[in-house]
Amino acid sequence: MKQFLTKIRTRSTCFKWVAQTIVMLTSGSLLSGVAPQAFAEIAGYKVIMVHGFKPQQLISPPTSESEILQQGYDYWSEYWHQYGDAYLAWNSAERIEGNNAKRLFKQLVNINESGLCNKGCIMVTHSTGDLITRYLLDHQEDWFKASGKQPLKIVASLDFAGAGGGTELANTAISFAASDAWWQFPVKKAVELWLGDQLTPERMGILYDLQPSVARHISTNPNPTPRLRFIGGGNEYYGITEWFIPGWDDGVVPTHSACGAVVAAGYESCSTQQGLDGEIKSASAPNRLWHNHYPILMGKETHHGGSVKFQRGVMLTLVDNFKSNTLNTDFANQRMTHEGWFWNTDYLYVPNSESHSMSELVIQHFNQTTAF
């Protein structure tokens, strides 16, 4: 009996030591921005994740850096954790300049010192992460030069539902935050549905930077890093938020932002020759894109969160493929005819795209595997 109890205590101590070690390793990794273990690569490159806007941080601001890092890591829990090698985390309750810039630079330094990107990294962004990444790519060379180090080697950025051009929802939220007029009730409810709670002008944080007039003046210098765009146009928040966004949108981000358009306007597609659903037709689309911005895939029914989560059943269409010395896309686009009562409608779509989420299809394409 004594030997049995001794074994239990020994095993218990062993389990406790293992658990503590795992916690320390994980915590240390998160604090450094580098994931606790190696994950699957994308096209042979390590992956840095940059999360999007977190409205709950406006309602209940994080109280520590570890909390910000943990929330940034948790943002990707539904699908992308299996591919992230490092995570950049920022606080939605603060503007891009200031504390966010400082904490992001510290995280970049940690990633740099780890050697993760010595052979090149791909960044994966969602929503406001697109704007954050543009800011980082614009400043990292100067930041590292000042500290006597080489900048990270970033071969491309995969931007899902990119909000680099801002969203008119931010304008709406800021304009009506302090209003109690009864006739503005529908607007306030739409904003609250998006943000999760009623906010005041003092609690807007990065929403000030997400106003199109502001976002479009943040780090607009030409950058050599290709920004590959993946665009949705599906309903989210019951479609209520779409009333306040010009043109087509994914429930949060307008097409002008997701495509990477130089001008903010009410576009219905990223291509003048096909709609978001791939219908071959004349469509209003940007005639100029920001430098090195390349719309790749569109899905009319892919909503804002669905682009990086498990939203399946959407037929995606190819805008154009991208080729460089370090990264290529080669999506197929197949023609399909829908027969109607009086006329036929032709579509272009990526074969079997409805069987996978947008993110799954991208991963499958780059890694040439059908195992999910």
Side-chain angles (χ1 to χ4, degrees):
M1 183 67 178
K2 183 177 179 180
Q3 290 178 338
F4 176 73
L5 291 175
T6 301
K7 286 182 178 180
I8 290 179
R9 283 195 295 269
T10 302
R11 290 179 179 179
S12 176
T13 302
C14 181
F15 289 149
K16 183 178 180 180
W17 178 84
V18 170
Q20 289 174 339
T21 302
I22 291 174
V23 169
M24 285 190 293
L25 286 172
T26 304
S27 299
S29 298
L30 285 180
L31 287 173
S32 69
V34 182
Q37 66 183 78
F39 286 78
E41 299 173 338
I42 295 180
Y45 296 107
K46 299 297 184 180
V47 182
I48 301 174
M49 312 298 300
V50 189
H51 67 83
F53 173 59
K54 297 178 69 65
Q56 65 268 33
Q57 291 182 333
L58 301 184
I59 300 164
S60 180
T63 58
S64 66
E65 290 301 308
S66 60
E67 187 178 357
I68 292 172
L69 290 165
Q70 186 65 53
Q71 290 177 0
Y73 176 78
D74 291 342
Y75 186 93
W76 302 99
S77 60
E78 186 165 327
Y79 175 72
W80 276 96
H81 267 180
Q82 58 191 313
Y83 297 103
D85 293 290
Y87 297 81
L88 295 179
W90 50 277
N91 185 3
S92 297
E94 298 172 323
R95 304 287 296 269
I96 293 179
E97 292 280 5
N99 288 336
N100 272 327
K102 293 176 182 177
R103 68 170 52 93
L104 286 165
F105 175 58
K106 289 180 181 179
Q107 294 169 37
L108 288 179
V109 168
N110 290 330
I111 293 173
N112 198 334
E113 291 177 347
S114 74
L116 184 74
C117 298
N118 288 349
K119 295 182 180 180
C121 278
I122 286 178
M123 300 185 86
V124 174
T125 81
H126 181 236
S127 191
T128 310
D130 170 32
L131 181 59
I132 294 289
T133 297
R134 192 171 79 216
Y135 179 84
L136 294 180
L137 292 175
D138 186 39
H139 287 84
Q140 73 145 341
E141 185 172 351
D142 291 336
W143 287 345
F144 281 117
K145 185 177 180 180
S147 60
K149 299 178 180 179
Q150 291 295 316
L152 294 179
K153 182 181 179 182
I154 307 298
V155 300
S157 177
L158 311 184
D159 304 314
F160 293 86
T167 172
E168 285 76 8
L169 266 184
N171 292 343
T172 303
I174 291 170
S175 297
F176 294 95
S179 175
D180 291 323
W182 66 268
W183 54 271
Q184 293 176 349
F185 179 78
V187 181
K188 291 178 68 67
K189 282 302 173 186
V191 171
E192 289 173 16
L193 191 62
W194 172 41
L195 299 179
D197 196 5
Q198 182 177 351
L199 297 177
T200 64
E202 296 77 25
R203 297 168 61 195
M204 288 296 172
I206 204 165
L207 286 180
Y208 285 111
D209 291 324
L210 280 174
Q211 298 173 100
S213 60
V214 178
R216 291 176 169 277
H217 288 87
I218 295 175
S219 299
T220 56
N221 296 321
N223 191 279
T225 304
R227 309 297 302 274
L228 310 190
R229 321 290 288 180
F230 302 92
I231 301 97
N235 290 329
E236 198 164 26
Y237 307 109
Y238 311 104
I240 296 176
T241 54
E242 297 183 1
W243 300 347
F244 312 103
I245 305 174
W248 212 271
D249 62 87
D250 61 11
V252 176
V253 172
T255 300
H256 71 73
S257 182
C259 295
V262 170
V263 177
Y267 303 118
E268 58 179 329
S269 175
C270 297
S271 169
T272 58
Q273 301 176 13
Q274 65 197 74
L276 281 172
D277 59 352
E279 181 182 354
I280 301 175
K281 64 176 184 178
S282 176
S284 63
N287 57 15
R288 288 182 59 210
L289 299 175
W290 275 319
H291 179 72
N292 261 350
H293 283 58
Y294 304 94
I296 306 296
L297 296 179
M298 303 186 296
K300 188 175 182 178
E301 301 303 324
T302 301
H303 56 68
H304 188 67
S307 62
V308 291
K309 297 181 180 179
F310 279 117
Q311 185 191 1
R312 294 174 175 169
V314 179
M315 296 187 68
L316 304 178
T317 187
L318 172 69
V319 182
D320 201 4
N321 277 309
F322 170 81
K323 295 186 184 300
S324 72
N325 294 330
T326 54
L327 192 70
N328 297 324
T329 66
D330 190 24
F331 290 98
N333 224 15
Q334 183 173 324
R335 193 183 186 100
M336 176 183 67
T337 299
H338 176 75
E339 297 182 356
W341 285 100
F342 302 104
W343 60 80
N344 297 337
T345 305
D346 290 330
Y347 294 85
L348 292 172
Y349 73 99
V350 178
N352 300 317
S353 55
E354 70 278 11
S355 301
H356 310 299
S357 71
M358 182 176 280
S359 289
E360 284 179 315
L361 190 71
V362 170
I363 289 293
Q364 177 193 26
H365 177 77
F366 279 123
N367 292 346
Q368 297 299 305
T369 176
T370 56
F372 296 117

